[in-house]
């Protein structure tokens, strides 16, 4: 009995010891795994880089300069209404401007001694009315400035015979005188127009222009005009500020080189012809200052004409400013005499109503 029991007891002990050893082995492995895992977690935590994104502080913005408020826009000035056409036959006196360019001649009442005998003799002429031949006030100067060779004619005084025929056929007569003085550096141009009555002559218009002479020809400084029963007006050509201003209006027009007034444009054309007649081969645009505004006169060569005058037959070059849209169909014709230093020897204004005023030279005094 003892022999049988002992081996069984030994085996039990061995089994328990083996189980204990196995249990310790498993426990040691589990503890080792936990320790390794903990170390790996610590290593991982050490290798993590903490990054925190923060917004950069805004850059200081320089304050924008405060712009001054724009000046209040001036209200547009009312455009002057064109003067009403002169009624025929009440106003029928020719106005022979030194450069009658666009202003049609003024006329007196039916008081002058008409050639047709239609008016009463001895009555005083009325305030002359001028039919404007100007284009709309907004007409602009030429975009490109034309430049010509200019050789101005010598000083002289002109006497002219004035004939006018109204739209209704009434005829009037008068006279005019034009003065041109130049020393090569400065100039003065004058004109006087009158109407002949039975035993007297009534002065209707006086104009005067003064200024200098430069590389563009005549350079007006001041142009004045006085009509019967009207206040005198002045047009100023400010060469420094490069603008034209008017005493009779608040208008201001840019001054372009070569600009003229109504008293000088004839002599500027004469100077162009004296310098080189071939310059008349193309249209000639000239900015002309008048009493209230300035506008572009565009002259074209018509051809060669022979005129009958008190000075005899004169071969002339005929220049014309044809009617322009918006200009009441007015027209200006000028005849220049090459044999007489290209002086203007005849001037003709044709008004929109059909009235025609012709001024023809009778005498030239040098």
């Amino acid at each position: 009995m003892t022999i049988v029991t002992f081996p069984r007891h030994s085996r039990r002990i061995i089994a328990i010891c083996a189980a204990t050893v196995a249990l310790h082995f498993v426990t040691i492995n589990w503890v080792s795994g936990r320790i390794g895992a903990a170390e790996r977690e610590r290593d991982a935590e050490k290798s993590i880089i903490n990054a925190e994104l923060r917004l950069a502080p805004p850059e200081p913005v320089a304050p924008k300069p405060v712009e001054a408020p724009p000046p209040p826009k001036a209200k547009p000035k009312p455009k002057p209404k064109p003067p009403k056409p002169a009624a025929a036959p009440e106003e029928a006196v020719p106005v022979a401007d030194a450069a009658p360019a666009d202003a049609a001649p003024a006329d007196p009442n039916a008081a002058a001694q008409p050639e047709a005998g239609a008016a009463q003799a001895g009555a005083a002429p009325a305030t002359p009315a001028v039919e404007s031949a100007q284009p709309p006030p907004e007409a602009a100067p030429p975009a490109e400035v034309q430049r010509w060779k200019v050789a101005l004619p010598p000083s002289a005084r002109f006497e002219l015979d004035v004939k006018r025929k109204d739209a209704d056929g009434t005829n009037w007569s008068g006279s005019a005188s034009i003065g041109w003085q130049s020393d090569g550096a400065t100039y003065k141009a004058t004109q006087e127009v009158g109407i002949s009555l039975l035993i007297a002559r009534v002065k209707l218009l006086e104009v005067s222009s003064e200024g200098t002479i430069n590389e563009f020809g005549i350079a007006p400084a001041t142009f004045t005009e006085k009509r019967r029963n009207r206040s005198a007006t002045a047009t100023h050509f400010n060469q420094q500020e490069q603008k034209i201003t008017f005493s009779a209006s608040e208008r201001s027009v840019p001054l372009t080189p070569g600009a003229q007034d109504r008293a000088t444009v004839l002599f500027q054309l004469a100077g162009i012809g004296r310098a080189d007649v071939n310059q008349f081969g193309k249209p000639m645009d000239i900015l002309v200052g008048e009493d209230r505004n300035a506008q572009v006169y565009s002259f074209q060569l018509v051809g060669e004409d022979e005129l009958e005058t008190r000075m005899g037959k004169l071969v002339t070059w005929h220049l014309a400013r044809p009617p322009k849209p918006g200009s009441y169909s007015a027209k200006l014709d000028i005849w220049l005499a090459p044999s007489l230093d290209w002086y203007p020897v005849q001037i003709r204004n044709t008004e929109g109503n059909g009235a025609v005023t012709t001024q023809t030279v009778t005498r030239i005094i040098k």
Side-chain angles (χ1 to χ4, degrees):
M1 179 146 182
T2 303
I3 298 172
V4 175
T5 303
F6 177 75
R8 291 181 180 176
H9 181 70
S10 299
R11 285 195 297 272
R12 187 179 296 114
I13 292 172
I14 293 171
I16 290 171
C17 290
T20 300
V21 172
L23 183 59
H24 279 76
F25 179 77
V26 172
T27 300
I28 291 170
N29 285 340
W30 180 80
V31 171
S32 298
R34 292 294 297 172
I35 293 173
E39 291 178 352
R40 284 194 301 272
E41 289 179 1
R42 284 194 299 271
D43 294 339
E45 289 179 357
K46 293 179 181 179
S47 63
I48 293 175
I49 299 174
N50 292 329
E52 182 178 0
L53 297 177
R54 294 183 181 179
L55 295 176
E59 295 181 0
V61 179
K64 295 182 178 179
V66 179
E67 297 181 357
K73 294 183 179 178
K75 295 183 179 179
K77 298 171 185 174
K79 297 179 181 178
K81 296 181 180 179
K84 296 181 180 179
E90 289 187 354
E91 293 149 349
V93 132
V95 172
D97 292 351
D102 256 14
D107 312 324
N109 273 338
Q113 181 182 9
E115 293 180 357
Q120 297 180 357
T127 302
V130 179
E131 177 183 15
S132 174
Q134 299 179 3
E138 55 270 19
E144 295 183 1
V145 177
Q146 289 180 301
R147 184 167 182 171
W148 305 279
K149 299 176 183 177
V150 181
L152 295 173
S155 300
R157 182 176 174 271
F158 305 80
E159 295 178 359
L160 302 98
D161 180 53
V162 181
K163 303 291 184 184
R164 176 180 172 86
K165 186 174 184 179
D166 284 345
D168 63 356
T170 304
N171 294 292
W172 309 89
S173 64
S175 61
S177 63
I178 298 174
W180 166 252
Q181 297 177 351
S182 173
D183 60 6
T186 61
Y187 80 90
K188 183 176 182 180
T190 59
Q191 184 205 1
E192 180 185 309
V193 181
I195 184 72
S196 299
L197 299 179
L198 284 175
I199 57 174
R201 180 177 182 271
V202 178
K203 188 183 299 184
L204 299 179
L205 173 71
E206 290 180 277
V207 299
S208 177
S209 175
E210 295 185 51
T212 59
I213 296 172
N214 59 22
E215 66 271 23
F216 292 94
I218 302 173
T222 305
F223 169 74
T224 59
E225 179 178 304
K226 176 66 174 71
R227 294 181 181 272
R228 183 174 181 270
N229 296 334
R230 294 187 185 181
S231 299
T233 61
T235 301
H236 300 282
F237 296 75
N238 192 319
Q239 301 291 339
Q240 292 182 345
E241 298 182 9
Q242 291 295 292
K243 66 180 180 180
I244 306 173
T245 57
F246 313 88
S247 66
S249 73
E250 297 182 0
R251 190 179 306 277
S252 175
V253 177
L255 173 60
T256 58
Q260 302 297 312
D261 57 45
R262 288 190 300 164
T264 61
V265 64
L266 288 179
F267 297 102
Q268 179 79 349
L269 289 173
I272 292 172
R274 291 185 79 231
D276 184 0
V277 66
N278 293 319
Q279 295 180 102
F280 290 144
K282 61 180 180 179
M284 313 192 74
D285 294 338
I286 301 177
L287 180 66
V288 177
E290 300 182 327
D291 56 344
R292 293 177 176 270
N293 192 18
Q295 59 172 312
V296 175
Y297 287 11
S298 183
F299 292 98
Q300 298 177 5
L301 177 63
V302 177
E304 186 178 275
D305 293 345
E306 187 176 74
L307 298 182
E308 288 284 355
T309 73
R310 292 187 187 179
M311 298 177 63
K313 289 185 179 180
L314 298 176
V315 176
T316 63
W317 282 57
H318 181 188
L319 300 177
R321 179 196 178 201
K324 193 173 183 179
S327 63
Y328 306 101
S329 299
K331 183 182 178 183
L332 172 65
D333 295 89
I334 301 169
W335 285 262
L336 305 175
S339 63
L340 298 174
D341 287 310
W342 289 85
Y343 286 133
V345 294
Q346 184 165 280
I347 306 160
R348 176 174 294 158
N349 283 300
T350 303
E351 302 173 23
N353 61 6
V356 179
T357 303
T358 302
Q359 308 160 61
T360 306
V361 69
T362 59
R363 188 182 180 191
I364 299 177
I365 305 169
K366 293 187 178 180

